[in-house]
């Protein structure tokens, strides 16, 4: 049976003991009813995994001793998804959860011309990513950017320099299947996923001018959050 998995936001390499925050302490001691001498795993979301033993089972400030440290290397190809915010926040939160589970590295909330909602609670969204990372027992927390407009995104140096850049849209013109274009040997990949009303023609043209490849995700029309997950799976599996 695998050990319980918890997140710590900070860790100093010299630390041999770690004092956990009140939320983690309460969950470990009151909810899971763990006792002194029992083991659990910690990660800082930056590739580090710590196997620890409880040495102080206090419900507000549990203390653990580090028994073993491991570093799990990141996936060699960075996968970035820039996806429009959604009017239904639950659907966007579902996307964040599933994208984390499949190993997407960076998520960029996008504000397009047809985006219907721009309110964004970064702290809540970050908590969803952490929960999904722990549930799937990973050691890398996706980078969650602040929302950015479509035009501003395409001016970002990191975006402009991505090894492969794709835009998925519904307009009937020349597009290729994303699965046929994925190059396993590149360093980074970015795909743009539009709002429920799709990208405008102007946005698509602007992306194409900036050397994005227009792609299809299949034969059916997908909801924004579903398209994001399909794209993530194709990029990670390619």
């Amino acid at each position: 049976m695998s050990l319980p998995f918890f997140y710590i936001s900070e860790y100093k390499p010299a630390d041999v003991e770690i004092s956990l925050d009140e939320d983690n302490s309460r969950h470990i001691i009151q909810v899971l009813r763990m006792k002194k001498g029992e083991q659990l795993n910690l990660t800082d979301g930056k590739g580090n995994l710590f196997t620890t033993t409880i040495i102080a089972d206090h419900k507000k400030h549990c203390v653990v001793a580090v028994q073993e440290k491991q570093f799990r290397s990141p996936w060699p190809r960075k996968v970035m998804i820039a996806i429009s915010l959604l009017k239904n926040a639950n659907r966007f939160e579902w996307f964040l959860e599933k994208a984390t589970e499949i190993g997407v590295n960076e998520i960029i909330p996008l504000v397009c011309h047809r985006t219907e909602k721009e309110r964004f609670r970064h702290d809540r969204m970050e908590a969803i990513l952490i929960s999904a990372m722990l549930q799937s027992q990973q050691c890398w927390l996706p980078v969650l950017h602040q929302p950015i407009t479509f035009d501003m995104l395409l001016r970002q140096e990191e975006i402009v320099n991505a090894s492969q850049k794709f835009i998925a849209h519904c307009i009937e013109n020349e597009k290729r299947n994303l699965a046929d274009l994925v190059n396993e040997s590149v360093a980074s990949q970015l795909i743009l996923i539009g709002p429920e009303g799709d990208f405008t023609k102007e946005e698509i043209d602007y992306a194409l001018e900036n050397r994005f490849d227009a792609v299809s995700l299949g034969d059916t029309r997908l909801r924004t959050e579903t398209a994001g997950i399909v794209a993530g799976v194709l990029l990670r599996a390619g």
Side-chain angles (χ1 to χ4, degrees):
M1 183 176 179
S2 60
L3 297 177
F5 216 76
F6 295 90
Y7 171 72
I8 52 174
S9 59
E10 294 183 3
Y11 171 75
K12 296 178 182 177
D15 289 346
V16 294
E17 296 181 2
I18 301 173
S19 295
L20 303 179
D21 62 27
E22 187 171 343
D23 286 343
N24 274 333
S25 297
R26 184 182 299 109
H27 190 82
I28 291 166
I29 305 305
Q30 285 194 305
V31 178
L32 298 182
R33 299 186 181 279
M34 297 184 73
K35 303 293 184 182
K36 187 184 298 186
E38 293 189 84
Q39 289 190 318
L40 54 89
N41 282 332
L42 299 175
T43 183
D44 59 358
K46 300 173 183 176
N48 294 304
L49 175 66
F50 312 102
T51 300
T52 69
T53 301
I54 299 172
I55 58 174
D57 52 1
H58 194 283
K59 66 182 180 180
K60 290 189 176 180
H61 42 81
C62 177
V63 181
V64 299
V66 177
Q67 305 297 325
E68 182 182 359
K69 303 177 187 177
Q70 300 177 45
F71 180 76
R72 293 185 177 177
S73 299
W75 185 257
R77 184 163 25 96
K78 181 191 292 186
V79 172
M80 301 177 284
I81 298 181
I83 182 170
S84 172
L85 290 171
L86 297 170
K87 185 176 181 179
N88 186 330
N90 291 335
R91 286 164 49 195
F92 193 83
E93 291 172 4
W94 178 87
F95 163 76
L96 293 176
E97 178 182 83
K98 302 311 173 188
T100 302
E101 290 179 17
I102 63 178
V104 172
N105 303 99
E106 294 190 27
I107 299 167
I108 307 167
L110 198 54
V111 179
C112 307
H113 180 74
R114 292 173 178 156
T115 297
E116 293 189 48
K117 182 175 181 178
E118 299 181 18
R119 187 169 178 270
F120 183 78
R121 291 180 53 190
H122 194 280
D123 56 344
R124 175 176 172 79
M125 303 301 179
E126 187 86 10
I128 289 169
L129 297 185
I130 291 170
S131 178
M133 175 188 68
L134 296 176
Q135 186 277 328
S136 54
Q137 299 200 349
Q138 299 184 67
C139 293
W140 285 96
L141 183 66
V143 175
L144 178 63
H145 294 257
Q146 291 290 346
I148 186 171
T149 64
F150 185 92
D151 288 350
M152 286 298 297
L153 176 72
L154 267 60
R155 297 174 193 167
Q156 301 295 311
E157 183 176 351
E158 181 183 12
I159 300 306
V160 172
N161 293 329
S163 305
Q164 285 191 296
K165 300 180 292 185
F166 308 105
I167 180 169
H169 64 81
C170 300
I171 295 177
E172 293 297 332
N173 60 11
E174 186 176 346
K175 293 183 289 187
R176 295 177 64 186
N177 289 326
L178 176 61
D180 296 334
L181 296 177
V182 176
N183 184 341
E184 297 181 22
S185 64
V186 301
S188 60
Q189 295 163 319
L190 167 71
I191 188 163
L192 309 182
I193 305 293
E196 292 158 326
D198 201 10
F199 292 113
T200 64
K201 184 179 184 304
E202 290 74 19
E203 288 169 333
I204 296 169
D205 289 343
Y206 187 28
L208 297 180
E209 290 168 8
N210 282 273
R211 299 184 179 180
F212 280 74
D213 289 316
V215 295
S216 168
L217 300 176
D219 296 330
T220 60
R221 180 165 292 195
L222 306 174
R223 286 183 179 272
T224 295
E225 70 276 16
T226 309
I229 295 304
V230 171
V233 169
L234 290 174
L235 292 175
R236 286 285 274 134

